[in-house]
Amino acid sequence: MTQHDRWTPTEITPADAGVAATAEGLVGYLTGHPDLGGLLTERKALVFRGFGVTPQSLEPVMDILLPHRLAYVHGNSPRTKVGANVYTSTEYPPEFTISMHNELSYAAAWPTRLLFFCEIAAETGGATPVVDAALWLELLDPQVRAAFAGGVRYVQNLHDGLGLGKSWQQTFETDSREEVEKFLAASGAEWSWTADGLRVSQIRPATTVHPVTGAEVWFNQSDQWHPAALGDDTARALAQILKEDELPQSVRFADGSPIPDGYVIQVRDRALEAAVDVDWRPGDLLLIDNLLVAHGRRPYTGKRRVLVAMTD
């Protein structure tokens, strides 16, 4: 039996918790739990189901699970801020799969926990797949792991309000160049202001080690930043109008050498194949350890609304 066969997120219901099937019951369970952090580290991901949580009763739950809610600063995916550091999950068209990733793994700092809340479940599909990030690393061919050992270089071209991808104002949630420069200087990134916006370059490791378990995990978004992951038609169309270093985002090995297409396709596909789907019901919550578990999104039909928040 493989590690993948053994691991799935742990589901907690009112019957499991011994409380009423209400948001207040969930708050009571969470408040009285002797070691919620330890439970999350041990189980890696928790699904709270059947507590009848609504957008109106969500706040007290988030206050416990996410004690220091973070803004989505330097985030690269399209989403809408709907509350105090609460966002819609990535707003890519529903027919596309969002590949597995750890949130903000390309940045100098990242959230330790993510909380997803299902307000509206899709008519069909729309699951959030999750994968053990240590297993993800283990599933890659030795030559792929060796090639990434030196880390990766991410490059962003953020426009000034008109262009492909996100603007620098959206990305950093500010109109102040001074605030952006202060943030980037603290992160160790290189940057330059251009006629069209901002160019950011940063070298990051491909793996990291969980501070509690000591597990080494795959922890980068090279496949999502690589043109090969866009699909043949999209990559071909972009290549006709933009050079690689003009794309909204791109990635190479840390030494500047190109990452072979086959490597990032392997990274993407092996994680998706090993992932376990969390199928949503309205009111469900999914709490994950952002280092131990990567997440994505399956295609769907109909209306779907899943909110996300994070903490350090």
Side-chain angles (χ1 to χ4, degrees):
M1 182 177 288
T2 68
Q3 182 178 352
H4 169 55
D5 292 329
R6 290 196 303 268
W7 181 80
T8 60
T10 295
E11 182 175 309
I12 299 173
T13 67
D16 299 323
V19 298
T22 62
E24 292 77 12
L26 177 56
V27 168
Y29 166 73
L30 297 174
T31 302
H33 196 285
D35 187 10
L36 190 62
L39 178 65
L40 180 61
T41 299
E42 178 189 353
R43 305 296 177 85
K44 304 176 185 178
L46 306 173
V47 177
F48 299 99
R49 173 164 287 160
F51 291 92
V53 179
T54 66
Q56 294 72 35
S57 61
L58 178 61
E59 192 78 16
V61 177
M62 286 195 298
D63 287 344
I64 299 169
L65 295 176
L66 307 174
H68 181 211
R69 249 179 284 165
L70 301 173
Y72 187 59
V73 175
H74 207 179
N76 68 323
S77 64
R79 61 184 73 208
T80 302
K81 193 170 187 176
V82 297
N85 291 342
V86 180
Y87 302 82
T88 57
S89 57
T90 306
E91 295 169 355
Y92 283 124
E95 64 269 24
F96 295 123
T97 295
I98 297 176
S99 60
M100 309 306 293
H101 60 286
N102 305 81
E103 202 65 46
L104 290 168
S105 59
Y106 54 83
W110 48 78
T112 59
R113 296 182 189 177
L114 303 181
L115 178 67
F116 298 88
F117 166 71
C118 179
E119 182 178 349
I120 301 172
E123 183 177 332
T124 65
T128 293
V130 290
V131 68
D132 183 322
L135 174 64
W136 189 0
L137 176 61
E138 177 186 321
L139 290 172
L140 301 177
D141 291 348
Q143 64 266 33
V144 173
R145 295 199 299 268
F148 278 92
V152 296
R153 178 185 291 272
Y154 301 100
V155 175
Q156 289 173 288
N157 290 301
L158 304 169
H159 61 77
D160 197 23
L162 183 63
L164 291 173
K166 295 177 70 174
S167 70
W168 64 264
Q169 294 95 332
Q170 292 172 314
T171 299
F172 295 99
E173 295 192 1
T174 181
D175 293 320
S176 168
R177 290 193 175 200
E178 182 180 356
E179 287 186 23
V180 171
E181 291 178 354
K182 187 181 299 184
F183 177 92
L184 292 174
S187 73
E190 300 173 357
W191 75 92
S192 61
W193 295 102
T194 67
D196 301 320
L198 174 66
R199 181 179 174 86
V200 180
S201 175
Q202 49 189 341
I203 295 176
R204 302 291 181 228
T207 67
T208 193
V209 173
H210 192 276
V212 176
T213 69
E216 184 180 11
V217 298
W218 186 253
F219 198 74
N220 70 83
Q221 286 178 233
S222 57
D223 60 312
Q224 290 194 332
W225 287 56
H226 197 286
L230 297 173
D232 293 343
D233 293 341
T234 303
R236 192 177 301 113
L238 283 175
Q240 291 176 352
I241 58 175
L242 294 173
K243 299 176 182 177
E244 179 189 327
D245 64 358
E246 295 174 336
L247 291 169
Q249 58 188 41
S250 60
V251 64
R252 288 189 163 225
F253 288 125
D255 64 4
S257 60
I259 302 174
D261 292 2
Y263 285 11
V264 295
I265 298 303
Q266 179 183 131
V267 167
R268 180 194 67 190
D269 290 351
R270 292 196 180 169
L272 282 168
E273 290 165 3
V276 177
D277 285 350
V278 176
D279 294 306
W280 291 110
R281 303 174 194 171
D284 284 354
L285 298 110
L286 168 64
L287 182 70
I288 67 174
D289 183 307
N290 187 44
L291 272 72
L292 295 177
V293 173
H295 65 281
R297 190 202 70 191
R298 303 293 187 187
Y300 66 93
T301 64
K303 190 175 181 181
R304 177 187 188 270
R305 185 173 171 87
V306 175
L307 305 181
V308 62
M310 58 197 79
T311 191
D312 56 10

